[in-house]
Amino acid sequence: MIAFDARRAAPALVRLALGASLIGLAAGTAQAQSTDTTPAVAAPVADATDAQSSAQAATGQSVDTSTIVVTGYRRSVEDALRVRRDSISIVDSLSAEDVGKLPDVSIADALSRLPGVAVQTADGRGEFISIRGFSGDFTGALLNGREIATIDDNRRFDYSILPGDLFNRVDVIKTASADLMATGLAGTVNLLTIDPLANKRIISVNAQGELNGFKSLNPDLTNKGYKAGAIFVDHNDADTLGISLGFSAIQSPVQNKQYDAWGYPDPDAEGNRPLGGAKWFADTNVLHRQTGFAHVVFKPDEKLEVSVDGLYSRYNYKEYQRGLEVPLSWGAGTVETAHTGADGFEQTATYDNVYAVQRNNYNTRKAYTMAFGGNLQYHFNDRLKLDVDASYSKAHRKDNAYETYTGTGYAKSGDPDTVTITRQPSGVYDLSTGLDYTDTSEFKLTDPQGWGYYQPVGSVVQAGYDNVPKFTDVIKSLRASLTQDLDAGILKNIEVGVNYQERTKTNGFTGYYLVPPTGTTEVSIPQSAIVGSVNPGYTDFQTIAYSVPDVLSALSGSFRNESASELALQWQVREKVLTAYAQLNFDGMVGGLDFAGNIGGQFVHTQQSSTGHVPTSGGTGDFATTSASTSYNNFLPSANIRLAFSPTTDMHIGASRTLSRAPMSYQNASFQPSYLNPANSTEPVVAPNGKISLLSGSGGNPLLKPYFSNNIDIGVEHFFDHGQGIIALNYFYKAVSKFVNPNNYYFTDLSQFSALVPAQYLNDPNYTTVGYITGPTNSGRGFANGFELQATVPFGMFSKALDGFGVRGSGSWTSSSIRYTPSAAPGGIPVSFGKVTLPGLSKWVVNAQAYFEKWGFNARVSYQYRSDFLGQYLAFGAQPTYLYTKGRSTVDAQIGYDFKSGFLNGLSVYVQGHNLTNSPYVTYNQGHPDQILNYEKYGATYLAGVTMKF
């Protein structure tokens, strides 16, 4: 029976209470609590999990560390290097201490410190990662070896929903093997919780306060946060039953001085481009997240082991964006009265007759991710083992993206403004205005520009809009395998197994027009809703700040958008995948060299289907449900070998074929047809049958096949200083095929939509219902390759006086060339596509850390850099879009002290800083880095906390 020793814990509880009282001095905020997993919590690397081994363990010489005893961060470095050393595949790893000792709001921030891994930020937080230049759509995400559902629109795992301090170890596996599911083209991330039978008894609790470097930019949200958590691990004296539990809660604010440009019209006669329009916002968002896990292991004897684990994470997010949207050169009726120009841009400009749209945007997200799994291992004898694993994972997300507008009158009927813009060296334009935008007697809830339009009825007074994306992702898996020891020379064992998985993703997108009462064009802002004013970023004035939920009742004419284009956004995709695999593991010696490896393959049978909506007319709610399905088989071979040139120098070689399934939004069956009225067409579309097309359309493609890649990986690594140091170089090459072109053209029979066409044309032999489709096809191919260099150097190897100092670093260079096959566009004209930019690919990714740890003191400074890349973001209408993103570097730091003896033994205190250089996040027009589209500054974040282990 598991027992908790209260006598042993009592002194530590007193020390914890004393340590927790330091938080007020350390952070300046009450309620500051957090978890910091430590090496004492972490399982020994070799025994971290049996659910599915992240790093395929192999026999052979290991680095002798028996005479060296290290703890803390240096221990975590050594553990991570041991994972790499003992793996047949190429694996980079983070241990518990490495995850917990820098200011990581999510596990994505921690992963970004590994070679070849880069993080994409959204709203000031790391959400998605790319590996070797491939975005999250090409990367598998596992929890204890099982694929985990995601709250993302597609397949990318959103790591912001998970904390960085509840995992025993995180592995990034870059080469495929037959026994590893969900590998993806880029690699696989495996998040490992704590195996209680592989750890000693421990309790760890943590409290942390957080303060943003900017004061709160919005009066009703804070710039202060906290993190709190605990980990409990225990097992009975017989080591037959163990349990580990963990909990983490966080409140984390981000301030954002935000600038969004519409774009840049053609140059004027002097060669300078004006600004088409822009938005200036004061943005504040606050994340609330609670996460818990449990892991129970029962091992009554050497034959049987049963484990059950589960994780649940709840995510709540609130954001206010307040400021102005200002039509300028692209604004109908605006008049430019003066300007100066230089360097290809207008440097200053003044506009009259400007009707700015004052905006109060309110964005919320409620989401959760759960994952549960059970594993049974039974040894029939010393040579034959059965492994059965079952899991269930579900993720759900619902957003409300409210936009509300105020102005001086409906459709430019009020007082106009005169504004001046001034270009700064950053490419951002500052804004000055003439009107008082805090005057609630003049500014009313209305449609200032008259932009409102609803397809079935025409113009509407649109005083706002509410986009409501809603996604549900469910994964069910069952796996069974048999492993037979062979002991036949170099043949070690063979594993055969089968894995069945069902995945269903549903998009329930809806939208609502926010409209003043029927028969009116404007309504006053309720005085009870006003909370103050804000200063939008890069401006010198204030705008009204009001509570959006408190003005919705005033917009009583609001209604749901049921137009054809809206219904086409709703879909469901289902996949049933049966994988049979076999893997032969071997080790031995050849030519005086130790070697170990595996060879095997997967046979994958896939059934995929999709349902969606097809509008049957332009009227409200006129649609039909449509569906389509397909099935296909694939064989994915793999082979890996590790050669030991000496006890400290290895070479890894891997060859494999892998797949990544297409984004589910591309696979959806929703479709929107269009009637091509011959009377309105000066250049009619000619179908392949020589007749004039009457129909066209756009939508998804339920018959899409996966992306494929044939991969070669070579890595050389040298360990030194008793396994605490490494220098390693990897090279990879990926030959990619079936790459999806999301906007290809092809012709097909659209006769099912004949109701859209007048009868006079249907009966005319010169016309046809064969029409062209704009949609995704598997028409791209190419390659990606790159190098990864990493080193860890403890300075103690040079001099005892430098013991405790060290550096870690990595640099990655990645290149790709992918092109789409030319296709026939409308009219039969071939279209050649240029070179495709891989989403998520930065040519250069650099990470560096300098650390000191000795006598209880610890300090680290971390530098990260990634060069320009193509990122995926949510844009207009809460729909995904791709934007070119400028390279960015950030600096983080931490200093702390661990009490090793005496009354405070087990207590740690620390302070941390994140984004200390206040690095901006910038996107731009393709090929024109000086044409800034988005410019965001978040400020630095400061944290302080205490951890108690006993």
Side-chain angles (χ1 to χ4, degrees):
M1 178 177 180
I2 299 176
F4 174 65
D5 190 339
R7 294 173 299 173
R8 185 177 54 179
L13 288 171
V14 174
R15 296 194 298 270
L16 172 63
L18 177 61
S21 67
L22 297 175
I23 193 65
L25 295 174
T29 180
Q31 308 181 23
Q33 301 181 25
S34 170
T35 298
D36 182 17
T37 309
T38 67
V41 175
V45 171
D47 301 319
T49 183
D50 289 322
Q52 176 181 323
S53 177
S54 290
Q56 310 300 322
T59 60
Q61 286 186 297
S62 61
V63 179
D64 179 16
T65 60
S66 59
T67 60
I68 303 296
V69 178
V70 295
T71 60
Y73 176 66
R74 288 194 290 167
R75 165 65 183 275
S76 74
V77 172
E78 184 178 333
D79 287 347
L81 294 183
R82 187 180 296 114
V83 171
R84 183 181 178 94
R85 169 69 178 175
D86 292 342
S87 300
I88 301 299
S89 301
I90 295 177
V91 179
D92 290 304
S93 181
L94 292 167
S95 73
E97 179 82 0
D98 201 14
V99 171
K101 278 290 182 75
L102 275 178
D104 303 324
V105 173
S106 75
I107 195 66
D109 299 313
L111 285 166
S112 69
R113 294 193 290 276
L114 290 176
V117 179
V119 64
Q120 179 179 313
T121 298
D123 301 321
R125 297 184 186 87
E127 288 189 349
F128 306 106
I129 66 168
S130 60
I131 300 176
R132 291 180 161 180
F134 288 83
S135 69
D137 281 319
F138 303 94
T139 301
L142 311 177
L143 176 67
N144 292 330
R146 313 176 186 102
E147 190 165 9
I148 185 170
T150 179
I151 63 173
D152 180 50
D153 299 32
N154 281 296
R155 300 182 188 274
R156 299 182 302 171
F157 187 75
D158 188 339
Y159 290 91
S160 68
I161 202 166
L162 297 178
D165 52 9
L166 289 185
F167 296 100
N168 174 53
R169 202 177 81 216
V170 184
D171 293 340
V172 177
I173 309 160
K174 298 177 178 177
T175 53
S177 57
D179 63 344
L180 182 63
M181 304 295 125
T183 53
L185 265 62
T188 307
V189 177
N190 195 8
L191 307 166
L192 305 172
T193 56
I194 302 169
D195 182 346
L197 291 187
N199 285 271
K200 64 182 181 181
R201 297 165 179 159
I202 189 168
I203 295 176
S204 175
V205 293
N206 180 274
Q208 176 179 286
E210 179 177 340
L211 179 67
N212 192 263
F214 291 152
K215 68 178 183 179
S216 182
L217 301 179
N218 284 271
D220 43 355
L221 292 176
T222 183
N223 71 334
K224 299 179 178 63
Y226 65 86
K227 192 164 69 166
I231 289 180
F232 171 79
V233 182
D234 203 358
H235 53 80
N236 61 4
D237 292 336
D239 285 342
T240 58
L241 178 63
I243 183 171
S244 59
L245 304 169
F247 175 78
S248 176
I250 189 172
Q251 172 183 294
S252 180
V254 172
Q255 314 299 321
N256 178 9
K257 296 180 179 180
Q258 184 176 352
Y259 166 84
D260 297 335
W262 286 7
Y264 302 84
D266 291 336
D268 58 20
E270 300 168 346
N272 297 311
R273 292 181 182 271
L275 180 64
K279 305 171 190 174
W280 288 264
F281 283 138
D283 183 310
T284 302
N285 67 75
V286 179
L287 164 67
H288 292 265
R289 184 186 62 217
Q290 301 84 38
T291 307
F293 82 87
H295 194 154
V296 179
V297 181
F298 176 59
K299 188 176 181 181
D301 52 44
E302 293 303 315
K303 284 192 172 185
L304 177 66
E305 180 174 327
V306 180
S307 66
V308 179
D309 60 84
L311 178 143
Y312 181 86
S313 190
R314 185 174 63 182
Y315 180 111
N316 288 295
Y317 170 93
K318 292 182 179 180
E319 177 184 38
Y320 264 114
Q321 292 174 310
R322 294 181 170 117
L324 286 188
E325 181 171 12
V326 185
L328 296 170
S329 293
W330 281 337
T334 60
V335 179
E336 186 180 63
T337 60
H339 75 267
T340 63
D343 301 325
F345 293 93
E346 290 189 349
Q347 299 299 312
T348 64
T350 299
Y351 291 84
D352 285 345
N353 203 40
V354 172
Y355 291 89
V357 180
Q358 186 169 201
R359 296 179 59 152
N360 276 243
N361 297 343
Y362 179 58
N363 303 315
T364 67
R365 172 170 293 180
K366 293 184 178 181
Y368 66 80
T369 295
M370 63 172 68
F372 303 97
N375 181 265
L376 181 147
Q377 296 180 39
Y378 184 76
H379 294 261
F380 295 100
N381 50 50
D382 291 341
R383 298 169 59 85
L384 181 63
K385 183 184 76 169
L386 170 69
D387 194 311
V388 179
D389 194 273
S391 64
Y392 173 87
S393 180
K394 180 179 181 180
H396 178 78
R397 166 188 140 211
K398 180 183 178 182
D399 296 352
N400 280 93
Y402 292 99
E403 301 176 3
T404 63
Y405 318 135
T406 58
T408 57
Y410 170 62
K412 306 178 185 176
S413 61
D415 294 333
D417 197 1
T418 298
V419 304
T420 299
I421 58 172
T422 305
R423 185 176 172 88
Q424 302 301 313
S426 63
V428 172
Y429 282 89
D430 289 350
L431 175 68
S432 297
T433 62
L435 294 178
D436 179 4
Y437 283 88
T438 64
D439 186 352
T440 57
S441 65
E442 183 168 13
F443 286 89
K444 308 294 179 65
L445 291 161
T446 187
D447 185 352
Q449 285 280 328
W451 285 335
Y453 181 83
Y454 181 43
Q455 180 182 356
V457 300
S459 296
V460 296
V461 184
Q462 184 179 338
Y465 198 84
D466 179 20
N467 286 292
V468 189
K470 185 167 62 175
F471 294 91
T472 302
D473 191 17
V474 177
I475 300 176
K476 305 173 185 177
S477 298
L478 179 64
R479 176 174 175 169
S481 65
L482 284 170
T483 303
Q484 173 69 55
D485 288 348
L486 299 176
D487 295 333
I490 66 171
L491 303 182
K492 181 181 178 183
N493 60 53
I494 185 170
E495 178 182 350
V496 295
V498 62
N499 185 81
Y500 177 74
Q501 178 175 291
E502 289 187 9
R503 183 170 193 171
T504 304
K505 186 107 178 184
T506 304
N507 181 355
F509 192 98
T510 55
Y512 299 85
Y513 284 87
L514 305 181
V515 179
T518 303
T520 65
T521 59
E522 62 184 40
V523 62
S524 296
I525 305 168
Q527 286 297 314
S528 60
I530 297 174
V531 297
S533 63
V534 301
N535 172 220
Y538 319 105
T539 69
D540 61 358
F541 56 87
Q542 299 283 314
T543 61
I544 301 170
Y546 55 79
S547 168
V548 170
D550 292 339
V551 304
L552 295 179
S553 60
L555 300 172
S556 58
S558 301
F559 59 91
R560 179 174 173 175
N561 184 351
E562 295 183 310
S563 63
S565 59
E566 195 80 359
L567 292 170
L569 296 174
Q570 301 172 11
W571 48 262
Q572 183 181 84
V573 173
R574 175 169 294 176
E575 297 168 341
K576 299 179 180 180
V577 181
L578 180 65
T579 303
Y581 71 93
Q583 179 170 298
L584 180 66
N585 300 299
F586 53 85
D587 61 25
M589 180 173 289
V590 60
L593 299 178
D594 287 329
F595 69 91
N598 57 63
I599 186 170
Q602 298 177 348
F603 178 81
V604 185
H605 174 70
T606 302
Q607 294 179 333
Q608 72 184 38
S609 60
S610 176
T611 58
H613 297 93
V614 178
T616 56
S617 73
T620 304
D622 296 331
F623 67 92
T625 300
T626 183
S627 62
S629 62
T630 187
S631 63
Y632 46 87
N633 300 316
N634 301 109
F635 179 67
L636 306 176
S638 62
N640 297 278
I641 188 168
R642 187 193 67 210
L643 297 172
F645 295 109
S646 73
T648 58
T649 304
D650 295 334
M651 171 179 280
H652 294 261
I653 301 174
S656 63
R657 180 172 173 82
T658 55
L659 65 80
S660 285
R661 303 188 186 278
M664 288 177 163
S665 61
Y666 292 174
Q667 293 178 218
N668 84 83
S670 288
F671 181 77
Q672 187 169 355
S674 299
Y675 166 51
L676 300 176
N677 189 344
N680 298 333
S681 176
T682 57
E683 296 183 6
V685 174
V686 179
N689 59 13
K691 299 181 180 182
I692 297 175
S693 293
L694 293 166
L695 294 165
S696 67
S698 62
N701 183 353
L703 308 183
L704 275 180
K705 300 299 190 292
Y707 306 80
F708 290 93
S709 177
N710 295 330
N711 314 297
I712 296 293
D713 292 86
I714 301 174
V716 179
E717 56 199 20
H718 175 68
F719 298 85
F720 50 87
D721 196 28
H722 305 280
Q724 298 180 69
I726 185 177
I727 183 168
L729 177 65
N730 300 330
Y731 171 76
F732 66 90
Y733 180 88
K734 298 178 180 294
V736 180
S737 60
K738 301 291 184 182
F739 200 90
V740 175
N741 178 353
N743 298 302
N744 206 0
Y745 299 101
Y746 58 96
F747 283 86
T748 190
D749 181 14
L750 299 174
S751 57
Q752 60 181 309
F753 306 112
S754 297
L756 300 176
V757 180
Q760 68 184 88
Y761 294 114
L762 289 175
N763 299 324
D764 191 325
N766 295 313
Y767 296 94
T768 181
T769 55
V770 173
Y772 74 89
I773 304 298
T774 303
T777 62
N778 294 103
S779 59
R781 64 186 305 113
F783 70 89
N785 67 337
F787 292 90
E788 298 167 343
L789 176 66
Q790 66 169 303
T792 299
V793 181
F795 290 171
M797 64 182 291
F798 303 115
S799 170
K800 290 184 178 180
L802 297 177
D803 183 47
F805 289 94
V807 293
R808 299 178 72 187
S810 66
S812 304
W813 175 86
T814 307
S815 178
S816 72
S817 178
I818 294 177
R819 296 181 182 274
Y820 297 139
T821 301
S823 62
I829 301 174
V831 174
S832 295
F833 300 94
K835 183 178 176 182
V836 179
T837 300
L838 267 181
L841 187 149
S842 289
K843 178 169 286 188
W844 292 99
V845 176
V846 177
N847 297 281
Q849 295 177 43
Y851 64 86
F852 171 77
E853 187 171 50
K854 196 173 184 180
W855 306 306
F857 290 100
N858 59 81
R860 275 194 280 170
V861 176
S862 175
Y863 170 83
Q864 297 176 345
Y865 168 77
R866 69 178 301 185
S867 59
D868 293 13
F869 67 98
L870 182 65
Q872 181 178 327
Y873 306 91
L874 287 182
F876 180 76
Q879 296 303 301
T881 190
Y882 290 98
L883 294 174
Y884 287 84
T885 307
K886 281 196 173 184
R888 182 172 184 247
S889 59
T890 60
V891 176
D892 304 334
Q894 171 259 332
I895 188 169
Y897 184 79
D898 302 329
F899 293 89
K900 301 291 187 179
S901 61
F903 183 69
L904 296 179
N905 182 34
L907 178 68
S908 299
V909 295
Y910 58 88
V911 293
Q912 300 173 337
H914 178 64
N915 190 27
L916 294 175
T917 56
N918 190 18
S919 177
Y921 205 85
V922 184
T923 67
Y924 59 90
N925 272 331
Q926 180 180 2
H928 301 280
D930 53 352
Q931 295 182 17
I932 304 301
L933 294 179
N934 310 101
Y935 190 93
E936 301 179 354
K937 274 200 166 185
Y938 309 116
T941 299
Y942 304 99
L943 309 101
V946 296
T947 301
M948 185 66 211
K949 303 180 289 288
F950 53 94

